[in-house]
Amino acid sequence: MSSSVRIDALLTGIAVPYTRAGSRSAIAKAPRSGPVHIGSLGLDGDEQGDPRVHGGVDKAVHHYPRDHYAAWRTELGNLPLLAAPGAFGENLSSAGLDEGSVCLGDRFSLGGALLEVSQGRQPCWKLNDRFGVRDMARRVQDTGRTGWYYRVLQPGHASTGDVLELVERPCPGWPLRRLMRLLADRVLDAAQLAEALQLPLVPSWRTVLERRLATSQVEDWTRRIDGPADG
């Protein structure tokens, strides 16, 4: 087990009024210089526009691979938004890790902090508006280029340039790409769902998989992906 990358940007943002009536977002994040404290709810100075669905201990830190930016530029063109880290509202940017090489439950040290991979990102309509691409959230979900979240097991300070180093991998058979495809592809196979339910899932994901197993039905994600109908 060996996996380490250098963090090329630590980013935070302030919640401001967003594109649709009554909405707020801190998706526009800017790089930080010097040491930044990472606490149980994420990087000091970082905010969330809608705490009902963003932030919290299981979504304390968002990591998005800079490796994906080249593919997005190929598909979307050289959007100014893709010229620097932060396009996807990430707190951590790096090259060398992606959803296929990071597993659920992986523990990483970063500076003085200890982080644990808690879940993949389920993109929402705010990406559509940020990029000016009507189906951007759906593209992120369908390509699997989602990024992921950490919970903070040990608070500490970190700086741009610090090494994110894997220290423990309890679920080596479950890279995030496998788990995210189980969700995004609307899988109803009972054996796969039962296997996934043995994982240390966040409560919301556990509820989704248990409901699928019990009802043989998939959930409706239209509102999350496309946004409010009156938006």
Side-chain angles (χ1 to χ4, degrees), residues 65-82:
R66 187 161 51 86
D67 313 65
H68 293 334
Y69 276 52
W72 289 121
R73 282 192 292 268
T74 297
E75 294 174 22
L76 303 175
N78 288 318
L79 298 180
L81 200 56
L82 293 170

Side-chain angles (χ1 to χ4, degrees), residues 99-223:
E99 297 79 4
S101 58
V102 171
C103 296
L104 186 72
D106 278 0
R107 293 184 175 185
F108 290 90
S109 63
L110 178 64
L114 180 64
L115 311 177
E116 182 178 78
V117 176
S118 54
Q119 61 189 106
R121 180 184 188 173
Q122 291 183 285
C124 76
W125 61 269
K126 290 183 177 179
L127 285 174
N128 302 343
D129 292 9
R130 179 157 172 77
F131 280 83
V133 177
R134 185 176 182 84
D135 64 343
M136 188 65 186
R138 194 171 297 278
R139 291 186 189 211
V140 169
Q141 178 174 279
D142 290 349
T143 60
R145 300 195 292 260
T146 60
W148 57 89
Y149 291 105
Y150 301 101
R151 60 175 64 92
V152 180
L153 300 182
Q154 174 183 301
H157 286 80
S159 302
T160 297
D162 283 352
V163 172
L164 181 77
E165 184 168 4
L166 181 66
V167 296
E168 186 177 355
R169 172 161 284 171
C171 305
W174 281 93
L176 285 176
R177 184 171 293 152
R178 179 185 179 192
L179 183 56
M180 294 300 287
R181 294 270 47 98
L182 186 73
L183 283 162
D185 292 346
R186 329 286 269 175
V187 172
L188 287 173
D189 180 79
Q192 292 188 59
L193 294 174
E195 184 180 355
L197 283 167
Q198 301 305 308
L199 297 169
L201 301 171
V202 294
S204 60
W205 285 25
R206 183 169 299 281
T207 296
V208 166
L209 298 187
E210 287 177 342
R211 186 181 296 126
R212 286 189 192 178
L213 193 57
T215 67
S216 296
Q217 295 181 335
V218 295
E219 50 287 343
D220 183 358
W221 289 341
T222 304
R223 186 177 176 85

Side-chain angles (χ1 to χ4, degrees), residues 39-62:
S40 61
L41 294 179
L43 280 65
D44 279 5
D46 195 43
E47 296 182 355
Q48 292 78 39
D50 187 352
R52 298 171 304 165
V53 293
H54 298 125
V57 294
D58 288 329
K59 295 181 181 178
V61 179
H62 177 225

